[in-house]
Amino acid sequence: MSQKKKSLLGCLPYLLIGALLSWGVYECNYRFSYWQDLQARPWAYSKDKNAKLLVGQWHGSFSDPDGIAKSISLEIFAPLSDAERRKKASGRHRRRTRGGLGSRKDKRLFEGIATVSSRLGQEEYTLYGSVDEADYHQLQQITFGAVDEKKRIKPNFALNLSESGQWTEDEMTLRLGFAYFQVDGSSFSSSADPRFDHIASVVLKRQ
């Protein structure tokens, strides 16, 4: 046997040990990250695969300040998907894309998308909000923003924010506020017009 082959064979145990250690570190990072989220984000993660969480799809209907009937479908994302968690555990994930990292406040944040449909057309929104630390079923301010400003329906009372809400296993309630956009795309409000103070109470069901 050549000296080169002997050298390679001699290195083999060390390579195997290195690979096992690397896999062990990866597995520990992955499991620890998941355990942390189970403790800090019970609204987003559960060991029970059938658990009903805030994360998921919801649907409801409401009337805007002009009395136009609209339906709303929204999806709350998991702060970290399993694929993102695995990348993070392997060192290839540089930052948490949703929900933040370390602070207690960050661990209460969530993101999602919402689609509002009516005879006017379809409105696409991103949404950002948080759950209350004392009760993860209480929703704090949720802010809605247009996915594409160029595609806003105008004139229209667009979703603006929800200052409060709550969710249970299969139901979510929100108090929706609106922002009015004129034909030229500029926003407008009038304290003399009660439409601009209108709040829509919406009940959404889990999909």
Side-chain angles (χ1 to χ4, degrees):
M1 183 180 295
S2 67
Q3 187 64 34
K4 186 176 181 180
K5 287 184 178 181
K6 287 182 179 180
S7 178
L8 289 173
L9 287 174
C11 290
L12 187 58
Y14 298 100
L15 293 174
L16 290 174
I17 291 172
L20 288 172
L21 287 174
S22 178
W23 178 85
V25 170
Y26 162 82
E27 191 68 16
C28 286
N29 287 340
Y30 175 83
R31 292 182 180 277
F32 182 66
S33 171
Y34 181 60
W35 178 84
Q36 283 185 311
D37 275 338
L38 285 174
Q39 308 306 310
R41 296 179 169 91
W43 52 270
Y45 301 98
S46 173
K47 290 182 179 179
D48 181 359
K49 293 182 179 180
N50 297 315
K52 295 180 177 180
L53 307 170
L54 173 61
V55 169
Q57 298 180 344
W58 304 80
H59 181 79
S61 59
F62 64 94
S63 293
D64 76 2
D66 278 331
I68 297 174
K70 297 183 175 182
S71 64
I72 178 171
S73 296
L74 61 84
E75 180 178 2
I76 306 297
F77 300 135
L80 199 67
S81 70
D82 189 67
E84 290 169 332
R85 191 184 306 282
R86 291 188 181 281
K87 286 183 180 179
K88 179 173 179 286
S90 66
R92 291 178 289 148
H93 190 83
R94 298 303 178 190
R95 66 182 182 88
R96 208 166 189 135
T97 56
R98 291 186 287 273
L101 271 172
S103 75
R104 294 172 68 180
K105 180 180 178 181
D106 285 343
K107 291 176 181 178
R108 296 187 284 114
L109 301 178
F110 60 82
E111 296 181 14
I113 55 174
T115 300
V116 174
S117 302
S118 70
R119 62 177 174 80
L120 300 179
Q122 189 162 288
E123 308 165 43
E124 302 287 349
Y125 298 92
T126 57
L127 63 90
Y128 305 88
S130 65
V131 294
D132 185 79
E133 185 175 24
D135 181 355
Y136 296 117
H137 288 268
Q138 299 298 317
L139 304 176
Q140 298 183 323
Q141 181 170 303
I142 301 175
T143 302
F144 295 86
V147 170
D148 187 342
E149 289 288 344
K150 295 180 180 179
K151 294 182 179 180
R152 271 195 185 277
I153 294 176
K154 304 179 288 285
N156 180 44
F157 277 98
L159 294 186
N160 185 23
L161 59 84
S162 172
E163 293 187 348
S164 63
Q166 62 181 15
W167 66 281
T168 58
E169 288 189 345
D170 293 306
E171 186 173 286
M172 178 190 297
T173 59
L174 296 176
R175 287 173 50 79
L176 296 174
F178 302 86
Y180 184 73
F181 289 86
Q182 302 180 100
V183 175
D184 63 1
S186 62
S187 60
F188 175 77
S189 181
S190 171
S191 58
D193 189 335
R195 293 181 305 162
F196 294 95
D197 294 321
H198 179 74
I199 299 294
S201 296
V202 185
V203 177
L204 300 98
K205 301 293 185 179
R206 186 182 299 279
Q207 296 294 291

